[in-house]
Amino acid sequence: MMCRIAGALLTGVLLAAGGCTTGGNIRWETDLDKAMAKARQQHKVVLVQFYSPVCPYCIRMDREVFSDWDIRNLVEATVPVRLNY
């Protein structure tokens, strides 16, 4: 369990907060500026995942990590943003 949490956090960048895509049924924002504004309003942090629909590691993260109920709860406590690189 702890390895999965660490893996999820290592693929993203947590930024202090002063459109959505799939990914384990998480409602990902796709616009960083909108996500930052939302995070400020809700007093949350932003979780940024750099993602490509053809990246095998990204697909595996969706299938094996973001589909985990505990991970989804952790991610949904933030404002998650998925940026296609």
Side-chain angles (χ1 to χ4, degrees), residues 16-85:
C20 83
T21 64
T22 60
N25 295 322
I26 295 169
R27 293 189 50 88
W28 295 92
E29 296 288 337
T30 57
D31 183 308
L32 183 58
D33 292 329
K34 287 181 184 178
M36 292 297 288
K38 184 176 178 179
R40 282 187 202 96
Q41 182 182 35
Q42 297 178 1
H43 303 287
K44 291 183 176 182
V45 296
V46 175
L47 173 70
V48 179
Q49 183 198 22
F50 297 97
Y51 175 85
S52 172
V54 296
C55 168
Y57 301 108
C58 299
I59 295 166
R60 187 172 179 192
M61 285 289 291
D62 277 350
R63 189 175 59 244
E64 296 180 15
V65 178
F66 293 129
S67 63
D68 182 278
W69 184 256
D70 292 327
I71 300 296
R72 282 184 25 207
N73 286 337
L74 288 172
V75 171
E76 289 173 356
T78 70
V79 177
V81 181
R82 180 174 271 186
L83 301 176
N84 192 344
Y85 66 90

